[in-house]
């Protein structure tokens, strides 16, 4: 009998940076245990290029190969919904968030800032999937 994997969705406004990193790291670290998705209320034409570059350098993950910016209505209903830290303007997803990771958007910041956020996401995914 096949065991149904829980669906985890990482939600932010633009679905171009933090949520995309979380989706990629989730698949990389625990894709055998969970189905990971990311989405936002708006789309960007492409994933943040600094995030793409650093994920390739650090993990060898090419986010542009299988990921793209998408809105909430384009993913399955999640079992676990995680806000990346949108503050008061967090997207409405027709249900409460299970967690708010409260991560600052590193867009336009230094590589060190990006790497700090990426490492925080990795740590939180490891804790989430270890439960």
């Amino acid at each position: 009998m096949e065991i149904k994997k829980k669906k985890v969705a990482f939600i932010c406004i633009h679905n171009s940076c933090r949520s995309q990193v979380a989706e990629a790291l989730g698949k990389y670290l625990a894709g055998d245990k969970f189905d990971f998705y990311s989405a936002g209320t708006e789309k960007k034409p492409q994933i943040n290029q600094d995030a793409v570059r650093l994920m390739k350098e650090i993990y060898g993950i090419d986010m542009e190969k299988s990921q793209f910016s998408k809105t909430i209505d384009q993913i399955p209903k999640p079992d676990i919904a995680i806000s990346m830290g949108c503050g008061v303007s967090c997207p409405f997803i027709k249900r409460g968030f299970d967690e708010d990771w409260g991560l600052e958007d590193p867009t336009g910041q230094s590589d060190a800032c990006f790497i700090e956020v990426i490492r925080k996401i990795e740590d939180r995914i490891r804790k989430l999937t270890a439960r």
Side-chain angles (χ1 to χ4, degrees):
M1 183 172 130
E2 185 179 332
I3 297 174
K4 187 177 174 186
K5 295 191 280 184
K6 285 193 175 187
K7 296 175 187 70
V8 179
F10 301 103
I11 311 295
C12 63
I13 294 173
H14 297 116
N15 188 226
S16 65
C17 189
R18 293 164 295 169
S19 56
Q20 291 285 351
V21 167
E23 177 183 353
L25 283 174
K27 290 175 179 176
Y28 178 75
L29 298 169
D32 58 331
K33 297 176 186 167
F34 296 86
D35 287 326
F36 293 94
Y37 303 91
S38 67
T41 51
E42 302 172 18
K43 291 194 281 189
K44 289 282 188 179
Q46 65 182 16
I47 300 172
N48 181 295
Q49 293 299 290
D50 289 321
V52 169
R53 176 177 52 80
L54 290 167
M55 289 294 287
K56 279 182 190 173
E57 287 176 16
I58 298 167
Y59 301 97
I61 298 171
D62 184 351
M63 293 194 303
E64 291 181 309
K65 210 174 198 179
S66 63
Q67 291 177 224
F68 56 93
S69 185
K70 54 209 160 297
T71 54
I72 295 163
D73 62 335
Q74 294 177 285
I75 64 169
K77 182 179 177 188
D79 298 303
I80 301 169
I82 298 171
S83 166
M84 300 310 290
C86 312
V88 295
S89 62
C90 205
F92 177 66
I93 61 165
K94 299 182 183 171
R95 61 164 290 199
F97 284 100
D98 296 291
E99 295 181 23
D100 180 352
W101 285 2
L103 299 168
E104 291 296 319
D105 185 357
T107 299
Q109 304 296 317
S110 68
D111 281 3
C113 182
F114 263 90
I115 291 167
E116 181 181 341
V117 170
I118 290 168
R119 295 293 189 205
K120 285 179 182 178
I121 291 170
E122 177 184 357
D123 181 58
R124 291 178 183 178
I125 288 172
R126 288 187 186 281
K127 288 176 182 170
L128 173 74
T129 58
R131 294 186 211 155

